[in-house]
């Protein structure tokens, strides 16, 4: 076997032309991958990890160009190869798996035909045996009943199955290099485990080289041989994955590692500086229940999305609602939020029945300002045409009674300071802010009228881990100082454990287990909970 | 800096930023710059037209009929000896008024009906949708002819006919755009903030689809001018001797064969220029209104 790396990148620099001159997205990086090896590139958004892979595939968009450096792929210098030859290489010798599997598949073409297309394009099959090869490929990625599924359209498959089809597409022509860009982001933990194991197995079996691009250090460490950490276009550390976890050398890696929630970590530990400031003064809480839900049902057609749920939240308590996609946790939160009408059951808020008020009329209900929500996607939940100030001011103007302009502005600035948003950013539009800043605007809007109950719908799912660490701490401080209760909806068990007193696990519209956070996570009684906990990627120890 | 000082500085930066951005958009693309210059010329001509022209557009002079373009009559004269340049310039105001009012009417009616249909769905959607379908079932120009013929030959009726004909375009566009945003996070957040449906429609959804509507408006402006001219050309709408580009082309159409090409050519070229200008304007205007294009 040759000792030559399959892919060898030296001094790669990628620049993007913008209105204000060239911007370096990737700055003089080196990397190499051997056959049968998996390299993980880890970094937060804007670190240049995706751009690196686009440069290797030569699929940078028009504004970007490889300014310097060499990319050698099994002896060929890719940076100077003509586009026509690159087209032959892509798909046949090197292929890519993207983040959103549904977007990567043609929605109006049968999945089997899509695999055939790739095979025929690269002359790996003829008209006569394309179908058989396509079915064999579906079988390889463990899609059950591949003959039937050949005729399925992407919308008929789950997210995890779609990603398997995308992997089948990528591997159909037996490429030597596979680049996976956040292949499991947006998939459930159990699905993530299955997809990653499949990828690793196929890579080893075919002696391919693979690059896994991810923001999740835990995932990279669990499945890669070597991990490379990138920050602001530069490689800060590169080491075997076991070493990077046990002995990180670069301060950035240490910070990233610390911000990643793991078993046994405490909320305050996630942020680097050892918090000299004392915890905020707590607002006294009178005991009692703020929310009491009984027999809640939501029916869609013949299916019960939520099937008779009982739950309650005490004043000043954080309750985690955990489950995989489709378990009904979002539907439940939307009904409690009164954005959706329940089919049956009662929702009592502060002793008053609010489940019977139609969702359409609830906007003007006096209880409206006491139940608020922080949405999952900070970008989607902010009006693109509203400045941060207008977004925060909106609930105050609608429900806070009459308020003078300067008082309103002062209140917005006070809220911004409270959530740690620099006051000068209040004039910005959402697209001019970072993900963390947008999340803060969303939180400021939710707490603007001092609500009693805030539903947090995966508030950190779209954020980088270091930002997530800060936002989680912020939420915890706000809860104590404002005396709020939280219903925290999430799929991430580690995050739930950090913030919540009690945890409720849902599956298929029903509650399978509930108890205190330690109890559920340390000694789960339901088999499903155990499965969920086991699927979270564990780094090698 | 004091808190009040910061607040004032923030308020001031909003307007300057908009102006700077507008200047950037106009200077960045020469085509947009050209379209804006042409648009400015049209507006100035429409406002000042009658006081700029060398001759009375209605004054006939039988001794000077059908003169080719010359230093005295830049665009020549027509059968009745009227100065074509003066008539073309004076006609700008009428044509612009028809175009602007009809587009404003259809934007208000079609746009609002469309976003209501897209946001509420159900019966609202069905009624607006079927109304649009019914209008679209007719050949549009024939429908406009029918409306003007039935209601009478006035400028108001041309405006109404042009607006009705364009209704489906606006209603469908607004419906599709509002429908995409109906379940967006920011709309749910607006409901949580206590906004009623009407407020959500007007203050949350409408501003977001405005850039797309503006492009549509700019395109329809050109179409509205053409439509008005077309109606006048076939003898509906504006009546002679009022100067209007469509009528003037109609009056000169017969002359093209007998050699008096200038009678129809100059009003036709002006008409073409105006339509062209509005079509080019669309992209530029969208870039200015859309805050996402600001960096």
């Amino acid at each position: 076997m040759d000792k030559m790396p399959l892919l060898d990148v030296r001094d790669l620099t990628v620049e993007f032309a913008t209105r204000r001159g060239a911007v370096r997205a990737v700055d003089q990086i080196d990397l190499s991958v051997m056959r049968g090896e998996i390299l993980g590139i880890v970094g937060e958004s804007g670190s240049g990890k995706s751009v690196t892979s686009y440069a290797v595939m030569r699929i940078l968009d028009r504004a970007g160009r490889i300014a310097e450096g060499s990319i050698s792929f099994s002896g060929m210098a890719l940076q100077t190869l003509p586009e026509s030859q690159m087209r032959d290489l892509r798909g046949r010798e090197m292929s890519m798996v993207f983040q959103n599997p549904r977007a990567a598949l043609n929605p109006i073409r049968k999945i089997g035909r899509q695999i055939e297309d790739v095979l025929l394009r690269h002359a790996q099959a003829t008209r006569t045996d394309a179908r058989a090869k396509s079915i064999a490929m579906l079988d390889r990625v463990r899609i059950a009943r591949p003959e039937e599924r050949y005729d399925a359209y992407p919308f008929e498959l789950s997210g995890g199955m779609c990603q398997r089809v995308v992997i089948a597409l990528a591997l159909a022509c037996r490429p030597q290099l596979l680049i996976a860009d956040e292949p499991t982001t947006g998939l459930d933990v159990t699905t993530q485990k299955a997809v990653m194991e499949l990828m690793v197995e196929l890579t080893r079996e075919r002696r391919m080289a693979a690059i896994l691009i991810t923001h999740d250090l835990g995932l990279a460490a669990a499945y890669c041989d070597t991990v490379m950490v990138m920050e602001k276009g530069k490689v800060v550390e590169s080491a075997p994955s076991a070493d990077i976890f046990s002995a990180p050398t670069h301060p950035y890696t240490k910070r990233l590692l610390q911000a990643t929630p793991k078993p046994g970590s405490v909320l305050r530990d996630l942020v680097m500086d050892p918090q000299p400031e004392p915890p905020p003064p707590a607002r006294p809480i009178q005991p009692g229940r703020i929310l009491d839900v009984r027999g809640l049902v939501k029916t869609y057609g013949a299916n019960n999305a939520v099937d008779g749920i009982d739950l309650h939240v005490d004043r000043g308590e954080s309750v985690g609602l955990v489950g995989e996609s489709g378990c009904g946790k979002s539907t439940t939160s939307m009904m409690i939020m009164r954005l959706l009408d329940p089919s049956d059951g009662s929702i009592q808020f502060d002793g008053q029945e609010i489940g019977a008020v139609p969702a359409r009329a609830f906007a003007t209900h006096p209880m409206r300002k006491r139940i608020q929500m922080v949405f999952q996607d900070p970008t989607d939940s902010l009006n693109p045409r509203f400045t941060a100030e207008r977004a925060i001011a909106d609930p105050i103007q609608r429900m806070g009674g009459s308020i003078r302009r300067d008082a309103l502005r002062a209140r917005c600035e006070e809220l911004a300071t409270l959530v740690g948003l620099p006051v000068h950013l209040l004039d910005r539009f959402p697209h001019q802010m970072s993900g963390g800043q947008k999340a803060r605007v969303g939180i400021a809007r939710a707490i603007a009228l001092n609500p009693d109950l805030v539903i947090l719908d995966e508030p950190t799912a779209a954020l980088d881990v270091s930002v997530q660490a800060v936002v989680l701490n912020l939420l915890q401080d706000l809860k104590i100082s404002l005396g709020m209760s939280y219903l925290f909806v999430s799929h991430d068990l580690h995050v739930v454990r950090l913030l919540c007193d009690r945890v409720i696990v849902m599956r298929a519209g029903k509650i399978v287990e509930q108890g205190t956070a330690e109890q559920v996570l340390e000694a789960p009684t339901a088999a499903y909970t155990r499965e969920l906990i086991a699927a979270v990627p564990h780094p090698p120890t | 800096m004091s808190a009040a000082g910061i607040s004032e500085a923030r308020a001031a930066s909003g307007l300057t930023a908009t102006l700077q951005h507008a200047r950037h958009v106009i200077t960045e693309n020469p085509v947009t710059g050209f379209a804006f210059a042409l648009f400015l010329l049209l507006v100035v001509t429409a406002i000042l037209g009658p006081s700029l022209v060398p001759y009375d557009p209605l004054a006939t002079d039988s001794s000077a009929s059908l003169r080719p373009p010359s230093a005295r009559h830049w665009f020549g004269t027509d059968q009745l000896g009227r100065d074509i340049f003066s008539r073309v310039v004076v006609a700008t105001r009428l044509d612009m008024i028809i175009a602007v009012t009809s587009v404003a009417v259809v934007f208000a009616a079609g746009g609002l009906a469309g976003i209501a249909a897209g946001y509420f769905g159900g019966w609202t959607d069905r009624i607006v949708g079927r109304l649009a379908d019914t209008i679209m079932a007719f050949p549009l120009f024939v429908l406009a002819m029918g409306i003007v013929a039935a209601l009478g030959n006035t400028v108001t009726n041309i405006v109404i006919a042009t607006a009705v004909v364009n209704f489906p375009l606006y209603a469908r566009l607004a419906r599709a755009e509002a429908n995409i945003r109906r379940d967006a996070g920011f709309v749910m957040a607006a409901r949580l903030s206590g906004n009623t449906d009407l407020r959500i429609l007007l203050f949350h959804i409408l501003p977001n689809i405005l850039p797309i509507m503006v492009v549509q408006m700019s395109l329809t402006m050109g179409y509205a001018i053409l439509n008005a001219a077309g109606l006048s050309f076939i003898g509906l709408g504006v009546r002679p001797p009022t100067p209007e580009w469509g009528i003037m082309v109609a009056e000169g159409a017969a002359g093209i064969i007998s050699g008096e090409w200038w009678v129809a050519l100059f009003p036709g070229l002006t008409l073409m220029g105006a339509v062209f200008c509005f079509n080019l304007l669309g992209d530029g205007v969208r870039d200015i209104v859309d805050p996402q294009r600001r960096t």
Side-chain angles (χ1 to χ4, degrees):
Chain A
M1 279 294 162
D2 52 1
K3 274 283 161 211
M4 269 260 294
L6 177 71
L7 178 74
D8 194 30
V9 174
R10 294 283 145 225
D11 298 326
L12 179 70
T13 300
V14 180
E15 287 184 347
F16 281 86
T18 66
R19 249 189 218 181
R20 299 197 181 88
V23 171
R24 276 196 173 191
V26 172
D27 197 359
Q28 301 248 316
I29 68 155
D30 296 334
L31 68 89
S32 64
V33 197
M34 303 290 225
R35 275 173 208 283
E37 190 190 43
I38 302 177
L39 169 72
I41 304 182
V42 180
E44 304 198 309
S45 44
S47 62
K49 57 190 194 301
S50 290
V51 173
T52 305
S53 65
Y54 296 163
V56 169
M57 294 287 284
R58 289 261 310 274
I59 50 171
L60 289 167
D61 67 37
R62 260 193 296 172
R65 66 182 189 95
I66 299 172
E68 262 177 66
S70 66
I71 304 166
S72 148
F73 175 74
S74 63
M76 281 177 288
L78 293 190
Q79 78 277 14
T80 53
L81 213 61
E83 180 57 28
S84 58
Q85 289 187 38
M86 272 315 292
R87 260 202 298 275
D88 282 338
L89 283 185
R90 281 184 219 125
R92 199 185 67 206
E93 301 294 331
M94 49 209 282
S95 39
M96 202 153 173
V97 174
F98 291 96
Q99 175 172 348
N100 185 347
R102 264 180 223 287
L105 292 171
N106 183 344
I108 55 160
R109 207 159 160 74
K110 291 172 179 171
I111 56 162
R113 297 298 291 267
Q114 298 195 38
I115 297 174
E116 275 183 28
D117 290 342
V118 185
L119 290 169
L120 293 171
R121 162 72 181 81
H122 292 288
Q124 301 288 308
T126 57
R127 294 241 163 259
T128 44
D129 64 355
R131 190 188 162 90
K133 282 192 175 168
S134 171
I135 290 172
M137 206 57 224
L138 286 175
D139 191 40
R140 280 303 296 121
V141 293
R142 293 208 211 95
I143 287 193
R145 293 174 285 124
E147 290 86 359
E148 276 171 53
R149 291 278 160 67
Y150 175 94
D151 289 317
Y153 289 97
F155 74 89
E156 294 172 311
L157 304 177
S158 68
M161 285 223 271
C162 279
Q163 194 58 296
R164 281 179 222 200
V165 174
V166 173
I167 292 174
L169 271 175
L171 298 184
C173 295
R174 302 195 153 261
Q176 300 181 58
L177 174 68
L178 176 71
I179 300 179
D181 189 356
E182 304 269 5
T184 57
T185 308
L187 300 182
D188 288 324
V189 272
T190 48
T191 321
Q192 163 170 295
K193 189 166 184 243
V195 167
M196 283 313 301
E197 280 170 359
L198 174 73
M199 247 182 64
V200 170
E201 184 196 312
L202 290 174
T203 311
R204 301 258 188 263
E205 175 192 299
R206 298 182 169 200
R207 286 201 51 74
M208 288 163 40
I211 298 179
L212 172 71
I213 295 166
T214 177
H215 65 278
D216 187 343
L217 200 52
L219 185 75
Y223 294 101
C224 299
D225 303 303
T226 314
V227 173
M228 186 172 110
V229 181
M230 281 185 78
E231 185 198 14
K232 293 176 188 151
K234 289 193 162 71
V235 176
V236 297
E237 186 163 1
S238 182
S241 57
D243 296 356
I244 228 152
F245 248 80
S246 53
T249 55
H250 194 275
Y252 179 73
T253 317
K254 285 183 190 162
R255 205 163 65 232
L256 206 59
L257 207 57
Q258 191 165 16
T260 310
K262 48 198 159 292
S265 58
V266 186
L267 197 51
R268 290 282 174 231
D269 290 349
L270 296 184
V271 272
M272 196 69 180
D273 52 294
Q275 292 280 326
E277 55 194 280
R283 178 175 286 201
I285 301 154
Q286 67 228 86
R289 276 187 187 177
I290 188 74
L291 179 77
D292 204 346
V293 172
R294 296 209 174 277
L296 195 64
V297 176
K298 181 70 192 176
T299 311
Y300 287 115
N303 299 333
N304 281 355
V306 174
D307 197 1
I309 278 195
D310 299 327
L311 64 86
H312 66 92
V313 179
D314 287 338
R315 284 177 190 276
E317 191 188 31
S318 302
V319 176
L321 191 57
V322 184
E324 297 194 298
S325 48
C327 73
K329 61 185 193 299
S330 292
T331 313
T332 307
S333 67
M334 296 290 270
M335 284 191 285
I336 296 172
M337 201 78 265
R338 302 305 300 117
L339 287 171
L340 195 68
D341 284 321
S343 307
D344 196 13
S346 94
I347 302 168
Q348 284 200 351
F349 181 78
D350 200 12
Q352 201 178 325
E353 175 63 42
I354 58 167
V357 184
R360 281 229 173 264
F362 202 75
T364 51
H365 194 276
M367 288 290 186
R368 175 72 287 163
K369 63 180 176 190
R370 300 180 58 191
I371 321 170
Q372 288 293 315
M373 183 160 179
V374 176
F375 290 88
Q376 175 171 9
D377 184 345
T379 309
D380 179 56
S381 63
L382 292 179
N383 190 331
R385 313 269 307 185
F386 277 24
T387 59
E389 178 173 346
R390 227 181 132 190
I392 299 172
D394 199 30
I396 307 174
Q397 285 175 303
R398 299 284 80 75
M399 304 184 294
S402 60
I403 183 168
R404 289 196 24 226
R405 267 192 86 80
D406 48 346
L408 181 66
R409 177 156 284 200
R411 176 69 179 141
C412 288
E413 283 171 7
E414 185 193 338
L415 282 164
T417 316
L418 197 59
V419 298
L421 182 76
V423 167
H424 67 91
L425 293 182
L426 281 175
D427 280 325
R428 298 258 181 109
F429 286 100
H431 72 277
Q432 296 167 318
M433 289 187 279
S434 70
Q437 290 164 348
K438 282 185 271 196
R440 285 167 201 266
V441 175
I443 294 169
R445 174 175 60 189
I447 62 166
L449 292 166
N450 295 322
D452 296 305
L453 174 69
V454 176
I455 296 189
L456 307 165
D457 184 8
E458 311 239 13
T460 58
L463 302 177
D464 283 328
V465 277
S466 61
V467 184
Q468 164 176 293
V470 177
V471 170
L472 288 176
N473 273 292
L474 170 71
L475 286 169
Q476 179 69 11
D477 291 349
L478 286 173
K479 190 192 91 163
I480 294 168
S481 61
L482 300 176
M484 297 182 287
S485 307
Y486 284 158
L487 181 62
F488 189 108
V489 180
S490 181
H491 67 276
D492 191 330
L493 287 159
H494 287 320
V495 174
V496 166
R497 190 180 53 85
L498 289 172
L499 203 63
C500 297
D501 309 315
R502 269 191 310 123
V503 176
I504 297 169
V505 182
M506 272 184 82
R507 183 187 201 181
K510 286 195 164 71
I511 290 175
V512 292
E513 180 165 7
Q514 58 177 314
T516 63
E518 287 88 57
Q519 199 184 321
V520 171
L521 281 133
E522 308 301 335
T525 52
Y528 178 67
T529 317
R530 279 198 290 274
E531 196 186 321
L532 270 185
I533 294 170
V536 177
H538 292 292
T541 40
Chain B
M1 199 190 265
S2 69
I6 296 175
S7 305
E8 278 157 31
R10 287 204 280 119
S13 68
L15 186 67
T16 23
T18 313
L19 288 177
Q20 269 175 4
H21 176 67
R23 202 182 58 202
H24 174 85
V25 168
I26 293 169
T27 48
E28 181 189 48
N29 187 347
V31 177
T32 312
F34 173 70
F36 269 94
L38 212 56
F39 177 67
L40 215 63
L41 181 71
L42 277 174
V43 172
V44 170
T45 318
I47 295 168
L48 301 177
S51 52
L52 290 178
V53 295
Y55 298 93
D56 179 354
L58 299 177
T60 56
D61 179 2
S62 50
S63 64
S65 68
L66 292 176
R67 295 272 172 82
S70 66
R72 281 194 61 184
H73 300 283
W74 291 354
F75 290 178
T77 59
D78 63 9
Q79 294 89 331
L80 300 172
R82 295 174 295 197
D83 179 50
I84 294 177
F85 176 71
S86 304
R87 288 176 64 78
V88 164
V89 169
V90 170
T92 313
R93 184 185 289 178
L94 181 61
D95 279 285
M96 289 288 278
I97 285 176
I98 294 175
V100 170
T101 40
S102 61
V103 167
V105 168
V106 74
F107 170 70
L112 288 182
I115 55 172
Y119 179 71
F120 292 113
W123 276 106
T124 326
D125 191 15
R126 262 174 250 174
I127 292 168
V128 173
R130 291 306 81 77
L131 192 64
D133 289 348
T134 314
I135 295 173
M136 289 196 41
F138 294 95
L140 295 185
F141 192 70
V142 176
L143 181 65
M145 272 168 59
I147 293 171
V148 177
L151 296 180
N153 249 359
T154 64
V155 172
T156 319
N157 291 340
I158 298 181
V159 170
I160 293 172
T162 314
V164 168
V165 161
N166 281 315
F167 176 85
L169 276 179
Y170 281 80
R172 288 175 156 226
L173 185 69
R175 180 196 174 276
E177 294 295 329
N179 199 276
I180 301 170
R181 289 169 178 81
R182 177 164 81 165
D183 296 320
F186 73 85
V187 171
M188 286 198 272
R191 268 200 238 162
L192 290 189
S193 301
N195 290 275
T196 55
D197 283 334
L198 192 66
R199 280 198 71 92
I200 291 176
L201 270 188
L202 293 182
F203 297 102
H204 290 265
I205 294 184
L206 184 62
N208 274 292
I209 65 176
L210 214 52
I212 301 149
M213 300 291 281
V214 161
V215 177
Q216 184 68 35
M217 279 167 84
S218 166
L219 291 175
T220 349
M221 279 283 247
Y223 179 77
I225 293 181
L226 269 185
N227 198 54
L231 286 171
S232 307
F233 181 87
I234 57 167
L236 286 164
V238 184
R239 268 179 278 198
T242 318
E244 198 280 336
W245 297 333
I247 308 179
M248 294 170 71
V249 175
E251 286 170 349
I256 292 175
I257 307 155
S258 53
E260 290 97 20
W261 48 269
W262 59 88
V263 183
L265 180 74
F266 290 108
L269 277 182
T270 320
L271 185 57
M272 196 191 89
V275 175
F276 191 55
C277 159
F278 284 117
N279 288 352
L280 291 182
L281 211 55
D283 289 337
V285 177
R286 183 203 53 211
D287 289 353
I288 292 174
V289 243
D290 190 350
Q292 306 223 31
R293 306 284 297 213
R294 253 180 247 173
T295 44

